[in-house]
């Protein structure tokens, strides 16, 4: 496994979209264009020792810039605050090439795009793409209030303004997101895409399933992993296949922490089981998958896992390291 290549870009623009959200335009240092990307892609941004994933929200045909938007999260571990407070126009940052774990299905179906808060970023990029190819779609954007909704003007002046619907928590109940009403025309040949806070995604996914949307046509992307209860975590042993070394992993430490303490560095990015950067092959034992990266089918194979957050169901886990 290898990290995607990392390269440097310059901050071309920093703009306050709301009181809590800055958008950043990242422009090439020397080359005239940036690697192409598809709607739903994200990049890793390296800032002040943190590596964070941000979805690209500009038009996916553009190659002269990447645009991201960052919500200042006081509960964050420091990434969003570093982005807000430390990065300014002209600064240089390292980013990864775009990666896409949230792609449009491109199956000719109608698309229903649903964004909650800062989850608007990949959804906006999808709306740009679908509008560009003349696809059938509608776009629902939920936020606490109009003042909390980024890109309102851009959406209002876009070619898809008539397909965009805002749902603000401080408005009347008739403006709230009503999945039943949205799916009232039927779910046949419809794909649903949702991005936002974990609870919002859970709500939309459950409501869509209840209204008959098959799971393979419900697409979502989480920004952070679900925190798995760990009160009952047990110690276990990891064995390094190449060297035969064994290390004990106590309940309070992650596998990658134990590996690092013993001089074995696994590439890391999100450290929450979201990005897939740390994927490691498993040669023996039964991993306890706690990531949001692999599908249930992939997890059932038990031949690879994300050691940044996952643990072991067996007393020993043999890693292909
Ligand atoms: S570092 Fe992102 S999934 Fe492990």
């Amino acid at each position: 496994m290898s990290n995607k290549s990392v390269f440097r870009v310059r901050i071309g623009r920093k703009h306050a979209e709301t009181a809590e959200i800055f958008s950043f335009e990242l422009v090439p240092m020397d080359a005239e264009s940036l690697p192409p990307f598809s709607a739903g892609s994200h990049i890793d941004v390296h800032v002040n020792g943190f590596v964070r994933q941000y979805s690209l929200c500009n038009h996916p045909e553009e190659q002269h810039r990447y645009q991201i938007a960052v919500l200042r999260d006081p509960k964050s571990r420091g990434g969003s605050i570093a982005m807000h407070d430390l990065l300014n126009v002209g600064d240089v940052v390292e980013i990864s090439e775009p990666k896409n774990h949230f792609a449009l299905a491109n199956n000719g179906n109608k698309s229903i795009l649903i964004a909650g808060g800062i989850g608007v970023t990949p959804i906006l990029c999808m709306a740009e793409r679908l509008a560009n190819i003349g696809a059938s779609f509608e776009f629902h954007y939920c936020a606490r209030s109009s003042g909390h909704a980024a890109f309102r003007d851009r959406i209002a002046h876009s070619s898809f303004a008539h397909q965009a619907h805002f749902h603000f928590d401080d408005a009347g109940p008739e403006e709230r997101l009503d999945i039943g009403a949205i799916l009232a025309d039927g779910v046949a040949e419809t794909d649903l895409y949702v991005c936002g806070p974990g609870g919002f995604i859970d709500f939309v996914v459950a409501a869509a399933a209840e209204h008959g949307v098959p799971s393979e046509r419900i697409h979502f992307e989480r920004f952070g992993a679900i925190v798995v209860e760990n009160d009952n975590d047990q110690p276990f042993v990891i064995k390094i296949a190449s060297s035969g070394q064994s290390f004990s992993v106590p309940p309070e430490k992650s596998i990658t922490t134990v590996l690092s303490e013993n001089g074995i560095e696994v590439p890391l990015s999100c450290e929450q089981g979201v990005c897939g950067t740390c994927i490691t092959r498993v040669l023996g034992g039964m991993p306890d998958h706690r990531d949001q990266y692999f599908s249930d089918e992939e997890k059932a194979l038990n031949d690879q896992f994300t050691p940044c957050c996952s643990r072991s169901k067996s007393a020993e886990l043999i890693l292909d390291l």
Side-chain angles (χ1 to χ4, degrees):
M1 189 203 68
S2 65
N3 262 323
K4 297 282 193 302
S5 65
V6 169
F7 59 100
R8 300 195 312 159
V9 292
R10 197 178 296 284
I11 308 292
R13 185 167 188 256
K14 176 181 179 182
H15 178 67
E17 300 288 344
T18 72
E20 298 165 320
I21 298 173
F22 270 114
S23 65
F24 295 85
E25 243 181 60
L26 310 177
V27 297
M29 295 285 292
D30 306 311
E32 287 180 1
S33 61
L34 293 163
F37 67 100
S38 51
S41 295
H42 70 271
I43 54 171
D44 295 342
V45 178
H46 299 243
V47 56
N48 202 34
F50 295 96
V51 183
R52 290 292 178 265
Q53 289 73 44
Y54 295 106
S55 296
L56 299 177
C57 56
N58 52 313
H59 196 302
E61 304 275 308
E62 293 182 347
Q63 281 190 259
H64 67 287
R65 64 170 186 159
Y66 293 149
Q67 187 184 37
I68 59 174
V70 181
L71 170 70
R72 186 183 185 92
D73 179 2
K75 296 201 294 287
S76 87
R77 292 173 296 158
S80 71
I81 290 172
M83 292 288 294
H84 272 229
D85 295 350
L86 303 181
L87 284 190
N88 290 299
V89 171
D91 289 349
V92 172
V93 286
E94 287 194 326
I95 64 171
S96 71
E97 287 187 6
K99 299 172 253 190
N100 200 341
H101 303 148
F102 189 39
L104 287 166
N106 283 329
N107 54 10
N109 283 350
K110 176 183 175 179
S111 298
I112 295 177
L113 310 178
I114 303 182
I118 194 63
V120 71
T121 48
I123 295 291
L124 191 49
C125 188
M126 288 176 164
E128 298 278 14
R129 167 69 184 163
L130 292 169
N132 198 36
I133 61 174
S136 168
F137 76 100
E138 56 188 79
F139 169 26
H140 297 268
Y141 184 2
C142 306
R144 279 156 58 195
S145 70
S146 66
H148 287 86
F151 303 116
R152 283 193 324 280
D153 283 352
R154 172 175 159 187
I155 295 166
H157 293 99
S158 70
S159 62
F160 51 86
H162 59 292
Q163 288 146 284
H165 308 270
F166 291 94
H167 307 278
F168 298 129
D169 290 351
D170 64 352
E174 67 287 351
E175 278 197 32
R176 297 278 165 81
L177 184 73
D178 182 346
I179 296 283
I182 290 170
L183 298 174
D185 292 340
V187 297
E189 296 176 354
T190 298
D191 276 62
L192 188 142
Y193 301 83
V194 56
C195 187
F200 178 81
I201 291 177
D202 292 342
F203 164 74
V204 172
V205 168
E210 210 170 285
H211 285 82
V213 183
S215 61
E216 66 272 16
R217 288 201 263 116
I218 304 174
H219 314 267
F220 56 89
E221 181 164 74
R222 296 183 188 277
F223 289 131
I226 294 171
V227 177
V228 177
E229 196 57 59
N230 62 5
D231 284 353
N232 297 319
D233 281 349
Q234 300 295 320
F236 56 93
V237 169
I238 46 172
K239 185 170 179 181
I240 310 302
S242 62
S243 65
Q245 292 167 289
S246 290
F247 307 111
S248 179
V249 181
E252 71 278 8
K253 287 187 181 175
S254 70
I255 294 175
T256 46
T257 299
V258 171
L259 287 171
S260 178
E261 286 172 355
N262 288 281
I264 301 170
E265 300 298 339
V266 172
L268 293 172
S269 182
C270 70
E271 299 183 62
Q272 298 179 83
V274 174
C275 72
T277 301
C278 67
I279 293 170
T280 300
R281 279 179 14 103
V282 175
L283 302 179
M286 176 77 74
D288 181 1
H289 298 282
R290 298 190 180 180
D291 62 280
Q292 304 297 309
Y293 182 83
F294 290 122
S295 66
D296 289 346
E297 291 75 20
E298 289 170 323
K299 286 176 183 170
L301 295 174
N302 287 321
D303 59 351
Q304 53 184 347
F305 81 142
T306 55
C308 66
C309 63
S310 298
R311 299 187 66 80
S312 180
K313 289 181 179 167
S314 52
E316 184 181 76
L317 208 53
I318 304 173
L319 306 183
D320 187 16
L321 292 171

